[in-house]
Amino acid sequence: GERIVLGFDGAVSEDSTALIGCRVSDGHLFVPEYDGEPTIWQKPVGPAGKDWSVDGEVVDAAVAAVMKRYEVVGFYADPPYWQTYVDRWGALYGRRMRVRSTQAKPIEWWTTRPTAVVQAVARLYEAIKTGQASHSNDRILTQHVLHARRRLAGKVGITIGKEYAKSPKKIDAAMAAILAFQCRGV
């Protein structure tokens, strides 16, 4: 029943998919659980990763479970590879969102907009520096944050990215945390 907002960054087979929560009351970032597992799905290392892909129905069920467990008042989701699900989540949950990306698309929040992403990164970075944001010490979330590298977004400012394009070091949970914190701060 706790009041939270969510951030979602998804991939299909190479990168990770992450659903991160942020408490509205204090900016605490956490990884919700679904079926006893964290809501971060990533390709297994080695042979287990061959032909692996994220199960969209499991992710969809996890979103539904989180919506039931918490009072979710905002949800920003980056739609590439997940547009059908993001549209469905907007239809199912959009009306109850107090924080909306737009009126027409309350959940859809594209990370391909340099200015918006730079502002979101800066907001979380400043909150971390000043102690206004915390996190649950989740191992995978921490790992993704540590993998993130500063990147210049043209003349707009600093964003984050992988160390190089095909790096096996994932940052998707870090981006989902940025989206969740941005949703809380609006």
Side-chain angles (χ1 to χ4, degrees):
E2 193 161 26
R3 185 174 292 169
I4 68 166
V5 293
L6 297 170
F8 176 84
D9 188 49
V12 176
S13 60
E14 289 303 316
D15 285 332
S16 299
T17 293
L19 179 68
I20 304 295
C22 182
R23 281 195 309 238
V24 172
S25 63
D26 62 1
H28 182 74
L29 294 157
F30 66 98
V31 181
E33 286 192 354
Y34 168 67
D35 218 11
E37 297 292 325
T39 53
I40 301 174
W41 300 267
Q42 54 186 11
K43 182 178 181 173
V45 177
K50 187 178 183 333
D51 300 324
W52 179 87
S53 65
V54 177
D55 184 337
E57 295 305 311
V58 169
V59 174
D60 189 43
V63 168
V66 171
M67 290 291 179
K68 281 184 181 177
R69 183 174 181 194
Y70 297 94
E71 181 187 350
V72 180
V73 297
F75 182 9
Y76 285 172
D78 190 24
Y81 310 110
W82 292 84
Q83 188 69 61
T84 301
Y85 288 99
V86 172
D87 289 345
R88 181 173 21 187
W89 299 333
L92 287 172
Y93 311 116
R95 287 181 183 229
R96 75 185 226 196
M97 297 298 125
R98 293 185 187 165
V99 180
R100 297 168 178 239
S101 181
T102 68
Q103 283 300 103
K105 301 276 190 172
I107 293 173
E108 185 176 289
W109 203 98
W110 287 86
T111 61
T112 54
R113 300 173 299 143
T115 302
V117 174
V118 164
Q119 290 170 349
V121 168
R123 171 177 272 147
L124 181 54
Y125 179 72
E126 193 59 35
I128 291 168
K129 281 186 1 183
T130 60
Q132 296 174 21
S134 62
H135 69 89
S136 60
N137 292 320
D138 176 84
R139 181 185 60 80
I140 300 171
L141 175 58
T142 300
Q143 186 179 65
H144 284 215
V145 169
L146 293 173
H147 289 168
R149 298 293 176 257
R150 291 178 183 207
R151 295 283 176 257
L152 190 59
K155 296 179 181 177
V156 180
I158 303 293
T159 187
I160 65 167
K162 290 174 146 186
E163 62 181 347
Y164 56 89
K166 297 289 183 181
S167 173
K169 295 179 178 179
K170 308 305 179 198
I171 67 164
D172 308 278
M175 184 55 74
I178 289 165
L179 293 177
F181 199 80
Q182 178 69 10
C183 189
R184 174 191 178 257
V186 172

